[in-house]
Amino acid sequence: MKRNHLPQLAVLAAVAQAGSFRGAARELGIAPSAISHAISSLEEGLGIRLLARSTRSVAPTEAGAQLLERLRPALSEIDLALESAIESREAPAGNLRLTVPRTAAQLTLAPRLGAFATAYPDIVLEIVVDDRFTDVVEGGFDAGVRLGESLQNDMIAVRIGPPMRGAVVAAPSYFKTRQRPVHPQELGEHRCVRFRFSSGVLYRWEFEKDGKELEIAVNGPLIVGEDRLIVEAALNGAGVAFVFEDYVAEAIADGALVRVLEDWCPSFDGFYVYYPSRRHMRPALRAFVDFFRYSGAPPG
């Protein structure tokens, strides 16, 4: 391999991930013209077209995709080696990139991000909010956060939050003219505020009681993709909502929302940080895991 091919291959990987020369240039901190020159030189040196270009974007050709698939583990190991060298000093440092669902970002991470930044000022933590199930290795992430029930078997997982529980709620004004449901099947008679995942799938409300599990496809006049918007809609009388208990605990306590079907909403495992098994765990990731690790006590 020619020595100049290694940086060119890194540029190729950056372009493929960003989907454009400009995006790769921003990521690498170099001029777009340098990106274009590196790709052209690499293609000329190898004698094959690696990227298909259009006026709007670029994408790997079949040959380019095959090359990137073979290169990804090697480039990942190079990144890991460089970051480990940087972090060999006493304090953990470097970039740490996580994929996190919105609920975990809001309820589990956000309350402690300030304290983490203070404790580890040399770590640059990037949180990419995405409700889809992301392959952390393929996506270029150091780790991800998901509910315990959603984790893959080949991942190391560490619990970072308390047990979670759903809550079915509505405004008192909503129930003035409607009977409160006592069984999930009765939700078919109610106007429900529904949730759509970023994947496009509508959430089917999940219930459990005495070992019996139910999934209900509710109906209603409002579909949103953000839990806090669902809560606001419920507070304003739009209908019955199903959200995590932590979002509505205060509103239930002060009477702004009425809770129903509580006996059908058992607690379940909370959020976990998960990451691939590697020979060496980066100090920055170890610091994050140790800081957010759930010990059964309220976070300090």
Side-chain angles (χ1 to χ4, degrees), residues 21-102:
F21 283 12
R22 289 189 177 277
R26 287 193 298 269
E27 178 69 23
L28 298 176
I30 59 180
S33 58
I35 297 287
S36 179
H37 177 72
I39 297 299
S40 296
S41 297
L42 179 61
E43 291 179 328
E44 183 178 344
L46 298 179
I48 55 174
R49 177 63 65 90
L50 299 172
L51 294 175
R53 301 158 174 81
S54 71
T55 56
R56 293 181 177 271
S57 64
V58 295
T61 62
E62 183 177 352
Q66 292 177 354
L67 176 60
L68 286 166
E69 185 65 25
R70 297 286 299 273
L71 281 174
R72 187 173 289 112
L75 292 175
S76 178
E77 285 298 319
I78 292 173
D79 286 339
L80 184 61
L82 291 173
E83 289 164 354
S84 296
I86 294 172
E87 293 171 344
S88 61
R89 55 189 178 180
E90 184 175 344
N95 297 326
L96 186 62
R97 192 166 182 258
L98 307 181
T99 172
V100 182
R102 189 178 306 276

Side-chain angles (χ1 to χ4, degrees), residues 112-152:
R112 304 192 68 201
L113 288 178
F116 179 79
T118 300
Y120 299 100
D122 294 325
I123 294 178
V124 178
L125 176 61
E126 179 182 358
I127 297 175
V128 178
V129 176
D130 190 347
D131 291 323
R132 293 172 296 182
F133 295 105
T134 303
D135 185 318
V136 293
V137 176
E138 184 176 342
F141 295 97
D142 294 284
V145 173
R146 288 293 180 268
L147 290 172
E149 61 192 37
S150 305
L151 296 174
Q152 297 173 323

Side-chain angles (χ1 to χ4, degrees), residues 4-17:
N4 64 326
H5 280 169
L6 184 56
Q8 291 171 348
L9 290 170
V11 169
L12 174 67
V15 172
Q17 182 172 344

Side-chain angles (χ1 to χ4, degrees), residues 267-281:
S267 61
F268 53 90
D269 269 358
F271 288 104
Y272 287 71
V273 58
Y274 67 97
Y275 49 93
S277 176
R278 284 179 172 174
R279 294 188 299 274
H280 173 73
M281 185 179 181

